[in-house]
Amino acid sequence: MSGESAAARAAAYAQDDDLTAVIEITDVAPVSVPHRIRGRARLAGWLTQVRGEDRAACAALLAERRPVGALLGLHGRPSFVMLRLEVGEISVEDLWGAEHVEPEDLAAVEPDPMVDHETELLQHLAAAHRDRIADLSALLGPRESAGMTAVPLALDRLGLRVRFTGDGSSFDARFDFPAPVRDVCELRRAMHHLFAAAGH
């Protein structure tokens, strides 16, 4: 990274009445599996009050996720104070490793198309297709997984992650799709491709 640090840039936003804040997010697998925490994220920065013309724009963003109507008090006296987090530092630790993320990079990321379906799909795979998930071990080559329990752990547009557990040990295996999926229909085809490959 060149130039001033993200923390230094965010510090430029800080005012005397701003409040230092940290948001910690924990990602827990939606299926029953040992060591269910899949990742943690930490966002640090400053809470600033949204004022003036920015209130309407921020209220529209808020309403996309959590409509609250007149509670925002945009047409009269505010019912509560609207705050914005000026992010200065982000760290992420997940199944793929740990790293720091630039706020600009986070803001530019598009949500994975499977994010709204992952919980339901993982629970369905664990409940109705556990045998077929276990069959994916055939794709692992010489790695020993006989007698181990297989549980689908994570799902995104690029593939499926499965946790194999047994006899006090465990390991995760990643099964990549032939191509990134864009919706549930493409996901079904990709899963059938994996199951067929495991069958051969």
Side-chain angles (χ1 to χ4, degrees):
M1 182 175 65
S2 61
E4 60 183 348
S5 68
R9 290 198 304 274
Y13 290 110
Q15 312 240 337
D16 291 339
D17 58 349
D18 293 339
L19 179 66
T20 302
V22 174
I23 297 177
E24 293 186 347
I25 303 168
T26 301
D27 177 27
V28 180
V31 292
S32 179
V33 63
H35 314 296
R36 291 181 66 184
I37 294 178
R38 303 187 298 186
R40 290 187 173 91
R42 184 177 185 273
L43 294 82
W46 292 266
L47 288 176
T48 62
Q49 183 174 349
V50 179
R51 296 184 171 93
E53 296 178 357
D54 287 344
R55 278 185 61 80
C58 290
L61 290 173
L62 179 61
E64 289 179 8
R65 291 286 181 171
R66 192 173 298 272
V68 291
L71 291 177
L72 291 176
L74 293 176
H75 304 295
R77 182 175 178 179
S79 301
F80 58 84
V81 175
M82 191 185 308
L83 300 175
R84 167 175 49 206
L85 178 65
E86 304 287 355
V87 179
E89 186 175 307
I90 304 170
S91 60
V92 176
E93 180 181 357
D94 58 21
L95 299 171
W96 292 266
E99 64 178 315
H100 288 279
V101 179
E102 286 294 312
E104 296 85 354
D105 293 337
L106 178 64
V109 170
E110 291 291 332
D112 190 282
M114 293 296 104
V115 69
D116 291 331
H117 311 286
E118 186 196 24
T119 295
E120 180 182 355
L121 291 170
L122 288 177
Q123 291 173 346
H124 173 73
L125 288 171
H129 301 288
R130 186 162 293 221
D131 290 345
R132 302 193 77 178
I133 295 298
D135 290 344
L136 293 176
S137 63
L139 300 174
L140 299 179
R143 190 164 203 170
E144 181 60 51
S145 60
M148 301 188 82
T149 299
V151 180
L153 181 67
L155 177 68
D156 57 43
R157 71 185 186 280
L158 300 177
L160 173 71
R161 182 177 290 265
V162 176
R163 178 159 295 166
F164 293 87
T165 62
D167 297 328
S169 63
S170 67
F171 67 89
D172 290 355
R174 172 84 177 179
F175 300 96
D176 293 329
F177 299 143
V181 300
R182 294 170 293 183
D183 52 39
V184 174
C185 291
E186 290 187 3
L187 173 67
R188 289 195 189 99
R189 290 194 290 270
M191 291 300 302
H192 285 311
H193 177 88
L194 283 180
F195 292 147
H200 293 314

